[in-house]
Amino acid sequence: MKGLSAKARVALGLVGLTSSVVLLAAMLELVPDRIGAVRDGRAALAEVLASSSAGWLDSDDLRQADQTLRLAVERSDDLLSAAMRRNDGQVLLHVGEHEGRWQHLTGVHSTDSQIRVPVLSGERRWGELELRFRPLAGSGAAAVLGHPLVLLTGFVAVACFFAFYFYLSKALAQLDPSKAVPGRVRSALDTMAEGLLVIDRGGRIVLANRAFATMVGLDTDRLVGQQPASLAFEGAHGPGDAAPRFPWIRALESGAEEYGVPMRLRDAGGARRALMVNCSPVMGASGRPGGVLVSFDDVTELEARGEELREAKDEADQANRAKSEFLANMSHEIRTPMNAILGFTEVLRRGYQKDDGESRKYLNTIHSSGTHLLDLINDILDLSKVESGHLEVEQIPVAPHRVIREVVKVLGVKAREKGVELEFRAEGPLPETVLSDPARLRQIVTNLVGNAIKFTEQGSVGVTARLDRSGGEPALEIAVRDSGIGIAPDKLDTVFEAFAQADTSVTRRFGGTGLGLPISRRFARAMGGDITVASVPGEGSTFTVRLGTGPLDGVSLLTPAEIAGSEDAVAEAGTRTWSFAPARVLVVDDAPENRALLAVVLNGTGLELTQAENGQEALDRATETVFDIVLMDMQMPVMDGYTATRRLRERGFEAPVLALTAHAMKGYEQECRAAGCDDFVTKPIDIDVLMEALARWLPEQARAGQAPEGTAAGVRPAADRMTDASTMAEPARKAGPAPVDAAAMAEPAPAQTAAAAPLVSALAHNPRMRPIVAMFAERLAASVADMREDCARGDLESLAEHAHWLKGSAGTVGFTAFTDPARALEDHARAGDGPGAAAALTVVEALAARVQVEGDEDGSAPDTRPPAPQVAEPAGPPVVSALAGDPRMHPIIRMFVERLVDRLASVDGAQDLDALADMGHWLRGSAGTVGYGDFTGPARDLEVRARAGDAEGASRALAALRALASRVEPPPLPAHAGAD
C-alpha cells in the first residue's frame, strides 16, 4: 500500500466495501444460485428417466428404455453417459462410455457429477439408473476461482476500482487545494521577491504566490489548476531555443532536486524574462514525490550584464597571459645581471677606502649594477602601489630642466655605446621650478628616454621641454622623440598595459619587462597629468608627458640659452667619512658574512662592536653589557629579531633598535616598529642610508666630510643612481706586462702542481678582509671534520647542509676552488649517493688541507699559478680588463683568466652542446663582472647557438672566443710574486 497514491487507496477502500456488500447479498440468498439450479435440474432429469425406465421394465421392453436414455444423452451436453444396473451389478444397457467414466461410490448416494436413482419393478427394487454428468466446477484453485460468486465479486471489484478512481480524479480536480494552505502561510509566500509555484504530481499548479502572478500578469486564482506548460516558457537562449523538458517534471519523476536551470518566460506584456529555476520535490508518506516546490529567480538584469562579464573574463585571460609572458621576461632580466650583482656585492664589502676619481667612478658603476635587480623589484612594487591606490606623490619645488639633464647625462653612456645621438633642448622659456614629485618625474623621464634608446638601432633620440599656457592652467610638456622601430597603430594602447609590450617579438629582440610605460603613465596620472604617444612604424615614436606646474607666481623663467649653459647636473657625489662619538653597538645577524661586512663598514668610525648570531644570544649580551644601539636582523634561527626586540623592551631596554631586513614590501616596517624597533633599514644595505640612520640615533651628530686616503668611501646619493647596469663608465684600458700564452689555454696545469700549491684567498691582498678570511678558514676546519663525521654516520642530510654552506661561503671570501667540489658533494648527498658523497668529500678535504690564510712576510699572498710557456704574440690588440686600474681587483681578474683557460681547455669543439651552452652562459655573466666586456657578445652567441643545436655555429663561436682569449692580458703580478 505504501507505493499507492492517496486516490488509489481511497478507490481500493470503496472497492472493498462494494465487494463485502455483494458477498453479504449472496449469503442472504439475494443473489441467484446458478449451480444450485443446475443441480436441481439434474436431479429432476434423473427422477424422470428413472420413472420412465421403471415403466419399460414392467412391460419388459428394454429397447424403449435404451432409446429414451440415448435421447437424453444426445440432447444434454452435460449428460455424458447413462446405464441401467441390476441389483447384482450387471449392466443391462448403457449409453456412452459409461464404465470408463463412472466411479463406484461407497456410502454416497449421488454427487454433482454422478446421480444414482433406484429403479423399482412393481414393489420390488430392480436396480438403479446411473447418470454421469459433466462436473459443475473444476478441482483445486481453479474450482475456487471459477466459482460464479468469486467471478461476480472480482468483476464488481475491478469495475468499481476504475469507476471510483476516475470519479475521484474528476471530483478532486474541481476542488481548490490552495484553500488547505493557511492564510498566514500564503501571506508569507506572497512577501517573497522570487516567484513561487507548488505543482502536484499531475503537473497542475495548486499554489502560486503574488510575485509569480505579477511576473506572468495573471491572478493567482486563475493560475491554480493550470498546467505550467500552458505559460509562454522558452529555452535558455531565447525564441530560437525550444523550452526543454520542464525541470519540475524531472524532479517529480526522479525525486531529486533541480537547481540553477536557466529558462525564459514571456510575460503578459510581451517582455522576455530570464529566469533561474530551482525545483524541490515534496515527498509523500510513500516516499515518492507528491508534488514539487518551484522557485523562479528573475535574473533578467544580471543577464543583461552577461556580455560585460564575458568581456571582463576575456580581459582577465589576456592579463593572465600577459603576466605569464612578463614572468618569462622578468626571469630573463633577473638572470642576466645576477652573476654581476653577486660579484659587485663582494666588491662593495671591501672597497670603501678608495678615494681617487677612478675609484669613485668604479664604485658608482658597481652600485648601479648592484641595484639593477632592485630596480626591477621596485617597478613591480610601484605598479602594485598604483593599482592598489596606495601611491603617494609629493608636490614640492623641483627644477624640471635639471632633472631632465641628469637623466640625459646618465643615459648618454648607453646611447653612445649604441652609436645613437642623445640630446636635450628647451623649446622656449622654462620655469626654474615647478611643483611636482621629483622622484616620480625622474622615473618617468628615465623610462621614456631609456625606452627610446633601447628601440633605436641608429639615428637619434631627442628630448624637448616646453611650457604650455594654452589651457586654463600652465603645464609642462616633455616630448621624447626617437628614430626607432615605431609602433603599429593597433598597438598604441597596448604599450601602456601592464606586463605587456607591443609585440612579443619585441621582447625577444630588445628584452625588457614591459613595466616602464605602464608605470610612467600611472605616475603621470597620479600627478594630475598624462602620457600620450604618436608613432609611425619604421620611422620612430614620440611620447609626450604633460604635467601641471602649479602656480608660477614669482617663479623665474629660464631661456633656452641659460638652460644650455647651466652647470652639468650629474656630478658625482663626494665620498664621505663618518665619525661618531664613542658608543657600543650590538650587531645581531645569523650570517657571519653579514656581521663581518658591518664590522668592516663601521670600523674606524669610533664605534665599539659586539656581535651576536641570534636573538637569544643578543638577549644574553644585552644583559651583560650596556649598548647604545642595536642593529637587529629580523629573520634568524633560535629566536628571530621580532621576538628578541619585544623581550628587550619587556626587560626595560631603552636604547634604539634598528631593524635590518630584506623585506621591503609595504607593511613590514610597521611590523618591525610594532615589535619595538625604532628604525628600519633594508638589505642589501646602502652604506649612506645605514650611516644616516646611525647618525639619527647615536648621542652626537655624525660629522661628514671628504674621505682621506685609506678611509671608507661612501656611495652616490640615491637620486644620482643609474637605473641600468649598461650605463657603466667607459673603461680606461691599460696594457699589462705580458699576454696570456695560447698554449696555456689549450692545456691545463699538471695536476700534481695544483695539488702541491697552497690555496690562497683571492681577497688575501686586502688587509681589512684577512680577519674574515681567517674566520672562514677556522670554520672550514671544523666543518670539514663535521662533514667527515656525517659521512661516517651516513647522515647525508646534515652533510648536504654543510656542503651547501661551503658552496656559497667559500667563494664569498675568495676561495672559489671549493665551489664546484662543494656543489658536487651537495648533489650526491641530497641524491642519497653515499659513495659519491664520500668521493666528493675526499676532494674537499684535499682542498681544505691546502688552504693558507697568511701570505708573504709583507702580508700579500703568493701567486700559485704555474708559469705559462712562451708562444708567439697573438694577432690583434690586447684585451685588457676595464678594472685593471684597480690593484685590489687584480687577484679576482687573474682568477677569472685562470678559470677561462681551464674551461676553454675542457671543451673539445662542438661535441657537447650542453657544455658549450653552460660555458657561454657562465662567460656571458662573469666576463663583464671582472671588466672583460669584449666577451659578452661572443659568449651570448655561443650560448644561443649551442642551445639551438647549431653545432657548426657553436664551433665558429667557440673559435672566436679562443681567438679573443689568446689576446687577454691579465693584470701584473706583485713585484715579489714573480720570483721563485
Side-chain angles (χ1 to χ4, degrees):
M1 294 291 289
K2 290 184 178 180
L4 298 178
S5 65
K7 185 168 57 177
R9 290 198 295 272
V10 171
L12 287 176
L14 294 175
V15 167
L17 291 174
T18 305
S19 299
S20 299
V21 171
V22 171
L23 292 175
L24 180 61
M27 292 176 61
L28 297 176
E29 297 182 351
L30 300 178
V31 178
D33 186 4
R34 186 181 68 83
I35 294 179
V38 173
R39 187 183 295 114
D40 293 341
R42 289 182 178 183
L45 177 62
E47 290 291 340
V48 171
L49 292 177
S51 298
S52 300
S53 299
W56 301 123
L57 288 176
D58 290 341
S59 61
D60 209 34
D61 188 359
L62 293 177
R63 186 177 60 81
Q64 289 293 331
D66 181 71
Q67 291 179 352
T68 301
L69 291 177
R70 289 186 182 276
L71 179 63
V73 171
E74 292 174 358
R75 296 291 298 274
S76 177
D77 293 333
D78 288 338
L79 183 59
L80 301 178
S81 65
M84 297 287 289
R85 190 184 300 273
R86 291 190 311 190
N87 287 333
D88 59 0
Q90 181 180 0
V91 177
L92 295 183
L93 61 92
H94 65 87
V95 179
E97 297 179 1
H98 186 72
E99 289 296 325
R101 291 191 174 94
W102 184 261
Q103 296 179 0
H104 295 280
L105 302 175
T106 302
V108 178
H109 185 70
S110 295
T111 63
D112 288 343
S113 59
Q114 294 189 153
I115 298 178
R116 294 188 302 175
V117 180
V119 177
L120 299 178
S121 177
E123 297 293 330
R124 183 173 57 85
R125 186 178 188 279
W126 177 83
E128 59 185 14
L129 174 65
E130 296 177 351
L131 299 177
R132 174 66 177 175
F133 289 93
R134 195 181 304 277
L136 293 176
S139 60
V144 175
L145 295 176
H147 194 279
L149 183 58
V150 174
L151 294 176
L152 175 62
T153 304
F155 171 79
V156 170
V158 173
C160 288
F161 176 83
F162 287 105
F164 291 151
Y165 194 90
F166 179 78
Y167 173 78
L168 289 173
S169 298
K170 291 297 184 180
L172 292 176
Q174 302 303 317
L175 300 178
D176 184 4
S178 63
K179 301 298 183 183
V181 180
R184 61 180 180 275
V185 176
R186 289 185 59 87
S187 299
L189 296 178
D190 285 340
T191 61
M192 297 180 64
E194 61 182 358
L196 190 69
L197 289 181
V198 177
I199 300 175
D200 65 11
R201 183 161 182 80
R204 288 177 295 274
I205 298 174
V206 298
L207 178 65
N209 72 341
R210 185 177 302 163
F212 185 82
T214 303
M215 187 185 303
V216 297
L218 297 174
D219 294 334
T220 55
D221 294 338
R222 292 184 58 188
L223 287 171
V224 173
Q226 290 192 34
Q227 293 279 347
S230 64
L231 303 175
F233 282 105
E234 298 175 353
H237 302 291
D241 183 18
R245 195 157 176 258
F246 295 114
W248 48 86
I249 300 299
R250 296 197 300 268
L252 284 172
E253 292 176 350
S254 65
E257 293 87 353
E258 295 276 341
Y259 289 117
V261 180
M263 296 187 71
R264 292 180 181 270
L265 173 65
R266 187 180 294 277
D267 60 20
R272 185 175 293 107
R273 295 174 179 266
L275 304 175
M276 194 64 66
V277 183
N278 301 312
C279 303
S280 179
V282 179
M283 308 306 292
S286 64
R288 297 178 58 193
V292 61
L293 179 66
V294 186
S295 65
F296 298 87
D297 292 331
D298 191 346
V299 294
T300 306
E301 184 176 352
L302 293 177
E303 190 178 74
R305 300 179 183 176
E307 187 64 28
E308 197 173 305
L309 293 175
R310 284 190 290 272
E311 291 178 0
K313 179 182 180 299
D314 293 341
E315 291 178 1
D317 291 341
Q318 183 178 359
N320 187 47
R321 289 191 296 270
K323 288 181 180 180
S324 298
E325 295 176 0
F326 157 75
L327 289 177
N329 297 338
M330 183 63 72
S331 175
H332 175 75
E333 291 292 317
I334 292 174
R335 289 175 183 273
T336 299
M338 184 61 72
N339 288 333
I341 291 173
L342 295 175
F344 293 153
T345 303
E346 294 300 321
V347 178
L348 284 172
R349 295 179 59 187
R350 51 189 173 80
Y352 309 110
Q353 60 193 27
K354 294 182 173 59
D355 59 345
D356 55 14
E358 185 67 26
S359 297
R360 289 193 297 272
K361 182 183 295 186
Y362 173 63
L363 284 174
N364 289 332
T365 302
I366 292 174
H367 189 273
S368 64
S369 299
T371 57
H372 181 62
L373 181 57
L374 292 180
D375 291 337
L376 298 178
I377 297 173
N378 288 335
D379 280 347
I380 300 176
L381 293 179
D382 287 337
L383 181 65
S384 175
K385 290 177 182 178
V386 174
E387 292 185 338
S388 63
H390 293 157
L391 179 68
E392 297 178 358
V393 295
E394 294 181 307
Q395 289 292 321
I396 61 175
V398 56
H401 66 282
R402 186 175 298 275
V403 172
I404 299 172
R405 287 182 63 85
E406 289 174 356
V407 173
V408 171
K409 179 68 175 179
V410 171
L411 296 183
V413 178
K414 179 64 175 178
R416 289 193 297 273
E417 288 178 355
K418 294 188 67 175
V420 174
E421 182 181 355
L422 175 62
E423 64 174 0
F424 163 63
R425 62 185 178 86
E427 294 183 346
L430 295 180
E432 186 175 10
T433 61
V434 298
L435 290 179
S436 188
D437 188 321
R440 306 302 182 195
L441 177 60
R442 181 186 304 275
Q443 191 166 356
I444 291 172
V445 178
T446 299
N447 287 340
L448 295 181
V449 176
N451 262 9
I453 295 173
K454 179 169 68 174
F455 295 115
T456 302
E457 296 291 345
Q458 58 183 2
S460 63
V461 174
V463 183
T464 60
R466 74 184 187 92
L467 180 63
D468 183 10
R469 294 181 180 270
S470 60
E473 297 291 338
L476 176 68
E477 282 193 358
I478 304 171
V480 180
R481 299 179 177 86
D482 64 68
S483 58
I485 62 174
I487 306 171
D490 60 336
K491 300 294 185 180
L492 289 178
D493 292 333
T494 306
V495 297
F496 291 110
E497 294 179 2
F499 310 106
Q501 290 185 341
D503 191 347
T504 54
S505 62
V506 172
T507 302
R508 293 191 297 269
R509 179 180 175 187
F510 295 97
T513 63
L515 288 177
L517 290 178
I519 291 175
S520 298
R521 169 174 269 189
R522 296 179 191 194
F523 280 171
R525 290 180 174 177
M527 296 162 65
D530 201 357
I531 299 179
T532 58
V533 59
S535 181
V536 177
E539 296 183 10
S541 306
T542 300
F543 287 85
T544 303
V545 186
R546 183 180 178 87
L547 301 172
T549 63
L552 296 180
D553 299 337
V555 178
S556 301
L557 295 180
L558 302 178
T559 65
E562 290 174 328
I563 294 173
S566 62
E567 183 180 357
D568 184 44
V570 186
E572 294 184 355
T575 58
R576 294 184 291 176
T577 181
W578 296 85
S579 179
F580 298 94
R584 291 189 179 93
V585 180
L586 176 60
V587 177
V588 188
D589 199 307
D590 62 309
E593 294 82 3
N594 291 341
R595 298 197 302 271
L597 171 62
L598 291 173
V600 171
V601 171
L602 300 180
N603 187 27
T605 62
L607 301 177
E608 178 183 343
L609 267 64
T610 301
Q611 299 183 14
E613 63 181 21
N614 57 62
Q616 183 59 54
E617 190 173 329
L619 292 178
D620 298 339
R621 296 284 190 272
T623 303
E624 301 168 355
T625 308
V626 177
F627 293 99
D628 298 292
I629 195 167
V630 177
L631 304 182
M632 181 73 74
D633 182 28
M634 305 311 289
Q635 298 292 337
M636 296 179 292
V638 182
M639 181 184 293
D640 60 32
Y642 300 101
T643 304
T645 304
R646 281 192 291 266
R647 299 252 179 109
L648 283 173
R649 297 309 188 197
E650 291 170 359
R651 296 182 181 184
F653 187 83
E654 298 180 354
V657 177
L658 271 65
L660 303 179
T661 176
H663 291 303
M665 292 292 290
K666 185 178 181 63
Y668 282 105
E669 181 175 357
Q670 289 82 347
E671 187 176 349
C672 293
R673 294 189 185 277
C677 297
D678 299 283
D679 215 333
F680 180 89
V681 177
T682 60
K683 296 178 181 179
I685 295 173
D686 186 308
I687 304 305
D688 277 346
V689 172
L690 175 62
M691 292 300 188
E692 290 168 0
L694 289 173
R696 286 194 295 270
W697 297 102
L698 288 178
E700 295 185 5
Q701 181 78 15
R703 299 188 304 274
Q706 291 295 326
E709 183 177 357
T711 61
V715 295
R716 295 177 62 186
D720 292 334
R721 294 175 193 162
M722 300 181 185
T723 59
D724 195 316
S726 62
T727 60
M728 296 180 179
E730 294 181 354
R733 302 190 172 219
K734 298 183 181 180
V740 176
D741 196 306
M745 295 187 177
E747 297 181 5
Q752 61 271 24
T753 303
L759 195 60
V760 181
S761 169
L763 309 180
H765 296 279
N766 187 340
R768 302 184 67 182
M769 293 300 296
R770 285 178 190 154
I772 302 176
V773 176
M775 180 173 60
F776 167 80
E778 181 178 355
R779 184 175 178 183
L780 173 65
S783 294
V784 170
D786 291 342
M787 285 190 279
R788 175 50 62 188
E789 185 176 346
D790 291 340
C791 189
R793 292 199 313 266
D795 189 353
L796 297 181
E797 183 177 354
S798 177
L799 181 61
E801 294 298 329
H802 282 96
H804 183 77
W805 165 82
L806 180 60
K807 181 180 67 174
S809 299
T812 302
V813 295
F815 287 108
T816 56
F818 282 95
T819 302
D820 290 337
R823 180 184 294 108
L825 175 58
E826 180 184 8
D827 291 342
H828 284 296
R830 294 200 186 281
D833 181 7
L841 179 57
T842 303
V843 177
V844 171
E845 289 176 326
L847 290 174
R850 295 166 47 201
V851 168
Q852 177 176 312
V853 177
E854 297 297 333
D856 294 358
E857 294 181 359
D858 64 353
S860 59
D863 182 11
T864 60
R865 184 180 60 182
Q870 297 296 322
V871 295
E873 184 77 13
V879 178
V880 182
S881 170
L883 308 179
D886 181 3
R888 299 175 59 83
M889 289 296 298
H890 290 180
I892 300 176
I893 298 174
R894 289 197 296 271
M895 181 171 56
F896 164 78
V897 173
E898 291 176 2
R899 189 173 183 188
L900 174 63
V901 171
D902 292 340
R903 296 206 66 158
L904 285 174
S906 66
V907 294
D908 181 17
Q911 300 301 317
D912 189 347
L913 293 178
D914 290 338
L916 289 179
D918 290 342
M919 189 184 75
H921 185 77
W922 163 78
L923 185 56
R924 180 162 61 93
S926 300
T929 303
V930 296
Y932 287 111
D934 299 293
F935 282 92
T936 303
R940 181 185 294 110
D941 185 45
L942 175 62
E943 180 185 7
V944 170
R945 293 183 181 277
R947 294 199 187 283
D950 182 4
E952 183 178 353
S955 179
R956 290 196 302 270
L958 179 62
L961 282 175
R962 290 187 188 277
L964 188 63
S966 68
R967 294 156 43 202
V968 167
E969 287 191 2
L973 296 173
H976 65 279
D980 293 325

